[in-house]
Amino acid sequence: MRALITLLKRHNHAYYVLDKPSISDGEYDGLRQQLLALENQYPQLVQADSPINTVGGEPLPFFTQVAHDVPMLSLGNVFNSEDLAGFLRRANERLGVPIGEYEMELKLDGLAVSLKYQHGKFVQAVTRGDGQVGEDITHNVKTIRNLPLTLAGCEQIAWLEIRGEVLMPKAGFDKLNRQSIERGEKTFANPRNAAAGSLRQLNPAIAAARPLAFFGYSVNQGLPEHIATQSSAMAWLGDLGFETSPFAIAHTHDEIQAYYENVIKTRSGLPFEIDGMVVKVNDLALQNRLGFLSREPRWATAYKFPAETVPTRLIDVEWQVGRTGTLTPVGKLEPVNVGGVTVSNVTLHNFGEINRLDVMIGDMVNVHRAGDVIPKVSGVIGDLRPSDARPIVLPTACPVCDSPVVLPEGEALARCTGGLYCSAQQQEALIHFVARRAMDIDGLGGQWLIKFFEMKLIKSVADIYQLHTHAEHLMTLEGLGEKSVSKMLAAIEKSKQTTLPRFIFALGIRGVGESTALSLAQEFGDLQPIMDAKLEHLQAVADIGEVTAQSIYDFFRATHNIEVVQALLAAGVTWQPLAAADTADLPLAGETWVITGTLGAMGRDEAKDKLLALGAKVSGSVSAKTTRLLAGEKAGSKLDKATTLGVSVVSEDEFLALLERLGG
């Protein structure tokens, strides 16, 4: 029980607070069911901190915390027809009278939110949080385009609370990721993460630019007295202008089961993601009589989708190279039908997962479709391992470009080191190279880069500077004319005059962001010393740990990468070298600072510039190498880490006094 509690707490934090779930919903539900079964079997041993009796995660510290007037609970789960029958039986037995109607809704996969309206005007939005206290995200929710901010006919209702789900429809999610790729930015893993991440932005302009939608599913305060059922409440929400989940009425177990099975068949055609169906007692008076358990209502349950598991044999493994250079093992299976789909390939994710599963070629493995979509190996049937089973061996050379493959100690992901040369990685490298914070080539976005790559006009980032030789051909392409091509070529030419930190960042070395690129430039002054640097010297640089140092070292030891860098320099890319000795006599020389939180007197970029002018290095993360942490308001985990490491913490007032004293 203790082991399960610890595991569930970790996954709760990842899901509800970090918005980065590390296991599937099915796997989480399996762990929770194990703990619930133990608690039912040994009620005298139920632990006080059991997550069975909690909801969600703690509110994030940089949002205002708001207590819910009515606790915002989660739902219990059923997984099959027998579980459903048990839920219905318990509800009927508790009431002592037959329940005539059940309302069924799709279980939308987004972020649960409570909305408050005062006399018909929207005034507040709060997340679920831990069920008792949530985060005030009003500034972001009010930007959602399908959310009515004024409710006609509700002027006499002092307080109206409507709960629902904020989600990102599939089409909007796909478009957002395409735009992120074109800008050289990170993509979201799934629509739920995209929606949750959008709502947790401090700048509402970011949320406003995201394709979010709100779907209501309940009225918790202010419902007119004449509305007596959940289905009527949903219809009323629709009349007020809210989008709602599609809903239907059933009277028996068999009708509910038939509706559920139809949802499974049709869910792929829905415009949004769902992870099950919700069954509710339709009569609101009966809901009140049934009441609540500590964590969930007795009158509603989530009917989750099954993850069908089927055994088959792993007959081989092939290695694929992703656009960031990660090597992914793909298992070749004896074809097997899983949930109505024939599966012959399955991702094994990474070498760490292979070790975790202890899987070998020739093994019988259990396969299921995670979320009924992606085939996944859930385990090995060890008793059926054949005598001729073979270990899965990590390649030493990239199967695409033959560059060395590295697997840093303690990591699970193996990578090809030929980042600028490997054809599997070149599109990603191209998009990153031209991004605004890298070489800043305006007018040469991802769409054109990929087209030029497919036309074989560009093979590596160095070929961007040879596009002028194809100018006449480019002008004949649909969407490009003489003016557009001239502007594009002018931007390419302008980008040749850059800075060393920008150039280093543009190379796309794993682990080297803008801050690390700046630290490298400040430490070594020019590119060649970085290329020649020993591993020990790289590890000694502020903001660089062992893993990133190894990435830099390996990058400049790959012959193909050196050839591309030399081609860039030959094309005329240049910068002014930094004189490392220039800062030696400055008052903060030798110090490494980190900035966190919100500063009132100036922006963080301005504070960073002032520190650099005084000779300090500015890092993006706190480590044992950090000299001082400048902590503004609402400083979070960096402040905690600095305190743990004994790093000196400087308030904004102290920083301003320091600047005045030093003339910064």
Side-chain angles (χ1 to χ4, degrees):
M1 288 168 72
R2 289 307 316 167
L4 286 167
I5 287 170
T6 300
L7 196 57
L8 285 167
K9 282 184 175 181
R10 186 164 75 240
H11 291 307
N12 277 342
H13 184 75
Y15 186 94
Y16 288 104
V17 178
L18 303 180
D19 296 319
K20 295 180 179 179
S22 53
I23 61 174
S24 69
D25 287 352
E27 290 170 318
Y28 177 88
D29 290 336
L31 293 172
R32 187 175 179 278
Q33 289 301 115
Q34 289 181 48
L35 179 58
L36 183 59
L38 286 172
E39 291 187 353
N40 290 335
Q41 186 176 358
Y42 303 103
Q44 74 278 13
L45 296 179
V46 172
Q47 304 291 291
D49 61 339
S50 169
I52 296 296
N53 296 316
T54 61
V55 180
E58 297 176 1
L60 296 179
F62 42 82
F63 288 98
T64 302
Q65 298 183 14
V66 178
H68 294 295
D69 295 334
V70 178
M72 201 168 178
L73 303 181
S74 185
L75 290 172
N77 297 319
V78 298
F79 299 92
N80 51 51
S81 177
E82 291 75 19
D83 290 349
L84 174 64
F87 165 75
L88 300 180
R89 185 186 66 255
R90 289 189 298 273
N92 279 272
E93 289 175 351
R94 187 171 185 85
L95 286 172
V97 296
I99 298 173
E101 285 187 340
Y102 300 93
E103 189 254 11
M104 302 169 296
E105 305 166 12
L106 303 181
K107 189 173 183 298
L108 305 175
D109 193 14
L111 191 74
V113 173
S114 167
L115 307 181
K116 287 283 191 71
Y117 288 80
Q118 186 176 27
H119 297 294
K121 295 187 181 300
F122 172 71
V123 293
Q124 190 177 61
V126 181
T127 64
R128 183 196 305 275
D130 65 0
Q132 303 294 326
V133 178
E135 305 150 3
D136 189 327
I137 53 170
T138 306
H139 65 302
N140 286 329
V141 169
K142 71 189 302 183
T143 69
I144 296 175
R145 291 174 178 80
N146 78 330
L147 181 74
L149 299 180
T150 303
L151 305 179
C154 294
E155 295 82 3
Q156 302 306 313
I157 302 176
W159 286 103
L160 176 64
E161 181 185 4
I162 295 167
R163 292 181 179 178
E165 206 85 1
V166 174
L167 53 82
M168 187 173 290
K170 294 176 183 176
F173 171 74
D174 292 339
K175 182 179 180 180
L176 177 64
N177 269 353
R178 286 196 304 271
Q179 292 172 340
S180 296
I181 291 171
E182 290 174 1
R183 293 192 295 263
E185 298 172 354
K186 291 182 179 179
T187 58
F188 289 97
N190 54 60
R192 185 198 179 276
N193 283 16
S198 300
L199 291 180
R200 286 192 167 101
Q201 298 291 330
L202 294 178
N203 181 1
I206 297 175
R210 302 275 172 83
L212 299 173
F214 176 83
F215 286 74
Y217 57 61
S218 72
V219 182
N220 288 72
Q221 287 179 281
L223 186 68
E225 292 183 1
H226 70 275
I227 296 178
T229 63
Q230 170 66 16
S231 55
S232 298
M234 292 285 279
W236 185 65
L237 285 176
D239 292 340
L240 291 178
F242 289 95
E243 297 281 353
T244 64
S245 166
F247 61 94
I249 299 296
H251 302 86
T252 66
H253 168 278
D254 290 345
E255 289 180 5
I256 297 172
Q257 184 65 28
Y259 186 81
Y260 170 77
E261 291 171 1
N262 184 63
V263 169
I264 290 178
K265 293 177 183 177
T266 59
R267 62 184 289 206
S268 61
L270 293 171
F272 41 70
E273 296 287 353
I274 62 174
D275 57 359
M277 183 179 88
V278 180
V279 181
K280 299 179 180 179
V281 173
N282 196 32
D283 189 305
L284 298 181
L286 295 183
Q287 287 185 11
N288 289 331
R289 285 178 57 187
L290 284 167
F292 299 84
L293 297 168
S294 60
R295 182 183 185 271
E296 62 203 38
R298 291 190 177 96
W299 45 265
T301 192
Y303 197 166
K304 304 298 283 289
F305 293 132
E308 182 182 356
T309 300
V310 180
T312 188
R313 191 173 302 280
L314 178 68
I315 55 179
D316 200 2
V317 171
E318 294 181 357
W319 293 85
Q320 295 181 350
V321 184
R323 297 205 301 180
T324 60
T326 301
L327 269 69
T328 301
V330 178
K332 301 296 179 179
L333 306 173
E334 289 182 352
V336 62
N337 188 289
V338 185
V341 176
T342 299
V343 175
S344 55
N345 296 320
V346 62
T347 177
L348 293 172
H349 299 288
N350 52 60
F351 203 65
E353 179 71 357
I354 289 172
N355 290 332
R356 187 188 72 80
L357 291 169
D358 187 28
V359 61
M360 300 175 69
I361 296 172
D363 274 341
M364 289 294 294
V365 296
N366 285 319
V367 179
H368 72 271
R369 292 172 62 212
D372 291 339
V373 179
I374 304 170
K376 180 177 180 179
V377 172
S378 57
V380 174
I381 307 175
D383 294 341
L384 299 181
R385 173 166 285 171
S387 58
D388 60 348
R390 294 179 285 118
I392 300 171
V393 179
L394 178 69
T396 57
C398 173
V400 175
C401 72
D402 208 36
S403 294
V405 169
V406 296
L407 178 63
E409 185 177 351
E411 293 201 14
L413 300 178
R415 287 181 170 83
C416 164
T417 56
L420 296 181
Y421 174 83
C422 181
S423 60
Q425 303 175 63
Q426 284 172 340
Q427 288 189 28
E428 185 77 13
L430 288 165
I431 292 169
H432 175 78
F433 187 83
V434 305
R436 182 172 61 86
R437 295 182 178 276
M439 297 301 286
D440 191 21
I441 305 180
D442 187 33
L444 187 58
Q447 177 186 358
W448 289 116
L449 280 172
I450 293 172
K451 188 172 183 64
F452 297 161
F453 182 82
E454 292 171 346
M455 294 172 62
K456 299 185 179 179
L457 298 178
I458 295 176
K459 293 182 180 179
S460 77
V461 296
D463 295 329
I464 291 172
Y465 295 96
Q466 303 304 320
L467 278 175
H468 65 278
T469 63
H470 304 287
E472 292 186 5
H473 185 191
L474 297 180
M475 292 177 193
T476 66
L477 299 178
E478 184 177 354
L480 281 180
E482 182 177 353
K483 186 175 181 180
S484 298
V485 171
S486 296
K487 183 179 178 181
M488 182 186 295
L489 295 179
I492 293 171
E493 185 66 26
K494 180 182 177 182
S495 74
K496 290 181 180 180
Q497 301 297 320
T498 187
T499 66
L500 179 57
R502 276 184 176 271
F503 183 78
I504 297 169
F505 176 60
L507 294 178
I509 304 169
R510 178 175 170 255
V512 178
E514 293 176 84
S515 178
T516 303
L518 179 60
S519 295
L520 284 167
Q522 291 175 329
E523 177 70 22
F524 293 97
D526 209 346
L527 181 64
Q528 194 61 48
I530 299 174
M531 296 170 66
D532 295 338
K534 295 182 178 179
L535 186 60
E536 295 78 10
H537 192 171
L538 292 169
Q539 291 175 348
V541 178
D543 198 28
I544 296 180
E546 293 182 6
V547 173
T548 300
Q550 189 69 55
S551 295
I552 299 166
Y553 184 83
D554 291 337
F555 182 91
F556 289 118
R557 297 303 175 282
T559 303
H560 303 315
N561 291 339
I562 298 299
E563 290 173 353
V564 174
V565 170
Q566 290 175 341
L568 287 167
L569 300 179
V573 176
T574 186
W575 54 83
Q576 288 295 322
L578 301 180
D582 289 348
T583 64
D585 297 328
L586 294 175
L588 299 184
E591 294 191 14
T592 300
W593 286 59
V594 173
I595 306 172
T596 188
T598 303
L599 302 178
M602 66 185 74
R604 285 163 59 166
D605 286 342
E606 183 181 351
K608 178 179 178 180
D609 291 341
K610 290 183 178 296
L611 286 167
L612 294 174
L614 291 170
K617 295 177 181 178
V618 181
S619 172
S621 58
V622 176
S623 70
K625 301 174 185 176
T626 305
T627 309
R628 292 194 248 188
L629 176 81
L630 170 54
E633 291 185 10
K634 300 180 182 178
S637 59
K638 290 179 182 178
L639 177 58
D640 294 338
K641 188 171 182 180
T643 303
T644 302
L645 294 175
V647 173
S648 175
V649 177
V650 178
S651 69
E652 182 175 6
D653 288 342
E654 291 170 333
F655 177 63
L656 294 173
L658 177 67
L659 293 180
E660 185 176 354
R661 189 168 67 251
L662 298 179

